[in-house]
Amino acid sequence: MFNKLSGRGLMVSFLLLKMRSWRGRVFLGGLTLLFAMGFWLWQAGGLGGLNNNLTKGFFVLAGWPDRSLSGILRIHIPLLGEVVGDEVAAFGGDNPEGIQVSLGLLMGARVREPASFLNSQIPLLEKIGMEKPLKEEEPESTPENPVKITEIPPAKLNLGDKPLILIYSSHTGETYAATDGLSRLTGKRGGVYLAAAELAGRLEKDYGIKAIHSAEIFDTDYGDGYLRSAQMMAKILKENPSIQLVIDVHRDADVPRENSVTEIQGKKTARIMMVVGTNARSTHPNWMQNYAFAKSVAAKVKAMYPGLFRKVEAKRGRYNQHLHPRAILVEIGTDQNSLEEALVSARLVADVMASVMEELNKGQTGQ
């Protein structure tokens, strides 16, 4: 690595000597100094760990008020402001998939991984190690053979009349392309809202578990989806301290159709996964509680409906999970599923959540 640096340093020196314009020399020299300072700062511990006055001053002078890599890239590559959200990849416009594919082809980068833009243009940075995704805790499972399960009518639980579950969708416009022809409805309630409504309805109608389902559209501005839903969540939790479980319903993307669907009880069913936030970007000291809870729910899904569950994935955002120790993000299907497949899945998720609630309230049920 240092041989390459030395070689590049000699190349820069040669260019400086050959340049006749003093303005050109100053510009190239300043650019080289800026890169060297950036390299030193990253070597000193990465963007996330630099909090001293010197580095703060550097980022301010460079015009980078947001020290996250995503924030820096959004300043210098304005198009990313349209396709990279605050907490997770955010796609705007009428044809978000087209933007994503085009950027990937043109730059050899992945829109969902901002660091790949710099790595594709400055290979050295990939060796240094920029903003790498968290290591997967488990491989993604594949759909299993259709499982025949005898459907047993659910028994209502006697858990009182206070709300126990909050359900909402931070990205309310996410929908299912197999039904709607596109993967997101801007400023409207998409398929994930209907899947969340199906989940809430089955919990209350079939199990007697009172759930609050927010109908608010949070992602009129996609990048503000989590911020707006966090405000709602904090308000609802304050007004309803009885809530024991919070579910943010989404749908995944960039997953092949064959990995998005399975067959359960003779019906094509959208497979699900869960996302857990960490403290990698923002304060979330108790994220392992959410992670442990998600893993326990995943185990129950696998036991009740083999083939339905894909994986639990820990990511760098918080996804509002710092507001409740049993807050989880559930991806019901992907953009490759149909709405009907998602609704079938939502009903099965309700069965699982009812079982979870029964365990959480042992001794209080009328069973």
Side-chain angles (χ1 to χ4, degrees), residues 41 43 62 64 70 95 136 176 217 220 222 235 267 342:
L41 289 171
Q43 283 289 81
W64 300 342
S70 300
N95 186 17
E136 290 286 338
Y176 301 98
I217 298 173
T220 303
Y222 196 95
K235 180 176 182 292
K267 300 176 182 178

Side-chain angles (χ1 to χ4, degrees), residues 140-295:
E140 180 170 345
S141 62
T142 57
E144 300 178 16
N145 293 328
V147 179
K148 292 184 178 180
I149 301 176
T150 302
E151 191 166 6
I152 302 173
K156 287 196 175 184
L157 305 176
N158 183 18
L159 299 179
D161 58 358
K162 292 183 178 180
L164 299 178
I165 300 178
L166 169 62
I167 301 172
Y168 67 99
S169 296
S170 291
H171 293 154
T172 324
E174 288 181 343
T175 197
Y176 301 98
T179 296
D180 292 327
L182 69 170
S183 59
R184 181 175 173 238
L185 305 178
T186 303
K188 299 179 181 179
R189 298 183 183 93
V192 296
Y193 170 79
L194 298 176
E198 188 76 10
L199 168 60
R202 183 169 174 86
L203 282 168
E204 192 151 356
K205 179 181 177 181
D206 293 344
Y207 291 101
I209 299 174
K210 189 170 182 180
I212 296 176
H213 177 215
S214 174
E216 186 174 347
I217 298 173
F218 300 105
D219 63 344
T220 303
D221 183 341
Y222 196 95
D224 290 339
Y226 286 102
L227 177 63
R228 294 182 61 187
S229 62
Q231 294 170 347
M232 175 280 303
M233 181 176 167
K235 180 176 182 292
I236 296 294
L237 291 176
K238 183 177 180 179
E239 295 172 350
N240 300 273
S242 57
I243 289 176
Q244 301 177 7
L245 173 59
V246 181
I247 306 171
D248 187 3
V249 177
H250 292 247
R251 61 104 185 98
D252 202 2
D254 302 326
V255 178
R257 165 72 182 173
E258 58 268 23
N259 290 338
S260 301
V261 66
T262 187
E263 187 175 319
I264 297 177
Q265 298 172 351
K267 300 176 182 178
K268 288 190 178 298
T269 306
R271 302 182 74 212
I272 70 170
M273 67 170 285
M274 284 186 285
V275 174
V276 178
T278 66
N279 61 352
R281 287 180 180 167
S282 304
T283 303
H284 187 9
N286 300 317
W287 72 270
M288 287 298 294
Q289 292 183 28
N290 299 80
Y291 183 72
F293 177 69
K295 295 285 280 186

Side-chain angles (χ1 to χ4, degrees), residues 17-33:
L17 289 173
K18 295 292 289 183
M19 277 189 174
R20 295 182 179 181
S21 168
W22 67 270
R23 291 186 178 88
R25 292 182 183 180
V26 170
F27 173 78
L28 184 57
L31 188 63
T32 304
L33 178 61

